[in-house]
Amino acid sequence: MSLNTLPKTELDLEVLLARKEVVADGVVRLTLRHPEGEPLPPWEPGAHLDLVLRPDVVRQYSLCGDPGDRSVLQVAVLRQPEGRGGSQLVHDELSDGDRLRIRGPRNHFGFVKSKRYLFIAGGIGITPIMPMIAAADARGADWRLIYGGRTSTSMAFRDELAQKYGDRVTAWPQDEHGLMDLQALLGKPQKRTAVYCCGPERLLTAVQELCRFWPSGALHFERFTPKQGADSGERTEFEVELAQSGLTLTVPEDRSILQVVEDAGVPVLSSCQEGTCGTCETSVLDGVVDHRDSLLSDDEQAANDTMMICVSRACGRRLVLDL
């Protein structure tokens, strides 16, 4: 089955916005319910949802509630004045009682079992980390959270986390303490410790650099925006063969595989179109991929068996995809 076929655990349905509430400066939490009160799909820590805000406005938000509560799904949304308009639509136009469509859940930030965890969150990056902390605590694992933000009042769920988990949580508002001391946290590699990080690109880049000498596979992270230079390579024309559809298409240097495939009438799930959400992930049957996504790990890219067709291209003259 192609990765781009909706799996049974993923849904596409209309939900009810049961509650919209402010949880920090510039951050609102949305609580979504099934209109008929039916259970919503299962999910695991690290998963995200697509919110279909308008036919042409689809955005991804990490689930931040309790995976054990099938009655609701919760996401938190940061207002981004310099963004593409989705967060402003959420903040300014959505109200309690509104209906909107969702797709998912989908998970590219899976939570692994480990003896110890070090969680590092920056700003709205706390959202996928919260269910992971709850799972680690329930397992009796040794864990610690370092949570940074611009100011105390901009840090969603800060008080809730501190009250529930006490001194395992270190809040680090930048206006009070400066930047997080990542060298002290990560300068000495630790065995049997999983590092989970989510936040702005500057934080992720610094954490990746410091984790170069940690055991392989210790670092797990998720980006909200493309990594710097991800789509900066040379762009050349190539052919793509769609094995299921029986089509061979030419992808010119100024267009993506996704655009060409959609123009040919082949339906493909897609959303961010910048290589961060994973919606358009497609199996590769032959050819070498020029990976330009900001989602797959180095090992996953090296395996050459899947790609994000919204940004990634071919290293050679031809690719064969399971579409």
Side-chain angles (χ1 to χ4, degrees):
M1 181 184 71
S2 167
L3 289 173
N4 223 285
T5 302
L6 276 169
K8 293 180 180 178
T9 55
E10 181 167 295
L11 59 86
D12 181 344
L13 88 156
E14 186 178 74
V15 293
L16 176 72
L17 175 54
R19 187 180 183 192
K20 173 183 169 183
E21 58 189 315
V22 176
V23 291
D25 291 347
V27 181
V28 294
R29 175 169 56 190
L30 308 182
T31 298
L32 308 171
R33 294 185 181 275
H34 192 285
E36 307 302 325
E38 297 179 12
L40 292 169
W43 59 279
E44 296 181 352
H48 68 265
L49 277 182
D50 290 351
L51 295 191
V52 185
L53 302 169
R54 290 177 179 166
D56 60 339
V57 181
V58 182
R59 298 291 184 267
Q60 296 75 43
Y61 299 107
S62 298
L63 288 161
C64 60
D66 176 7
D69 184 357
R70 298 279 301 279
S71 68
V72 298
L73 293 170
Q74 292 183 317
V75 299
V77 181
L78 169 68
R79 180 191 288 275
Q80 296 179 302
E82 306 304 319
R84 296 177 294 156
S87 67
Q88 295 188 60
L89 192 157
V90 169
H91 277 255
D92 296 338
E93 299 189 26
L94 289 185
S95 302
D96 292 1
D98 285 350
R99 297 196 178 204
L100 64 157
R101 298 200 69 79
I102 62 171
R103 295 202 302 249
R106 196 175 299 115
N107 199 340
H108 290 274
F109 193 30
F111 188 54
V112 301
K113 288 187 177 180
S114 181
K115 181 179 180 180
R116 287 184 296 272
Y117 297 93
L118 175 59
F119 299 107
I120 304 173
I124 199 62
I126 191 62
T127 51
I129 299 294
M130 289 180 63
M132 295 181 182
I133 289 172
D137 200 64
R139 293 174 187 170
D142 181 13
W143 64 269
R144 181 184 178 193
L145 167 67
I146 313 299
Y147 177 19
R150 291 178 291 102
T151 64
S152 293
T153 57
S154 72
M155 298 169 65
F157 312 114
R158 172 179 175 266
D159 292 342
E160 175 183 329
L161 288 164
Q163 291 170 8
K164 189 170 184 179
Y165 299 115
D167 60 7
R168 288 194 174 193
V169 174
T170 300
W172 201 290
Q174 186 175 338
D175 64 335
E176 298 176 25
H177 305 301
L179 297 175
M180 284 188 279
D181 188 354
L182 297 177
Q183 179 64 43
L185 289 172
L186 302 168
K188 183 179 180 180
Q190 301 174 39
K191 296 180 180 179
R192 303 179 68 184
T193 300
V195 179
Y196 275 84
C197 181
C198 188
E201 183 61 29
R202 181 175 58 182
L203 173 64
L204 296 178
T205 300
V207 169
Q208 279 187 280
E209 178 64 22
L210 287 167
C211 284
R212 284 187 304 137
F213 304 107
W214 281 58
S216 177
L219 176 61
H220 308 262
F221 58 90
E222 183 173 50
R223 284 183 162 89
F224 292 141
T225 58
K227 59 186 177 183
Q228 187 174 3
D231 193 24
S232 60
E234 182 183 4
R235 301 174 72 89
T236 58
E237 182 177 289
F238 60 93
E239 287 188 343
V240 59
E241 178 184 339
L242 310 184
Q244 292 187 37
S245 306
L247 298 175
T248 298
L249 307 171
T250 298
V251 182
E253 60 185 36
D254 61 343
R255 307 203 74 206
S256 69
I257 297 175
L258 176 63
Q259 290 170 328
V260 170
V261 167
E262 288 182 330
D263 283 353
V266 178
V268 178
L269 287 175
S270 67
S271 183
C272 74
Q273 300 191 25
E274 57 185 15
T276 59
C277 75
T279 307
C280 70
E281 184 173 4
T282 301
S283 294
V284 178
L285 303 180
D286 194 23
V288 180
V289 179
D290 175 9
H291 289 287
R292 302 188 179 199
D293 67 274
S294 301
L295 185 62
L296 297 176
S297 67
D298 291 344
D299 288 344
E300 289 170 332
Q301 290 187 351
N304 198 65
D305 57 5
T306 186
M307 70 184 296
M308 307 304 161
I309 63 173
C310 63
V311 291
S312 295
R313 303 182 68 80
C315 282
R317 298 295 303 165
R318 187 179 181 88
L319 285 174
V320 181
L321 303 180
D322 187 19
L323 284 175

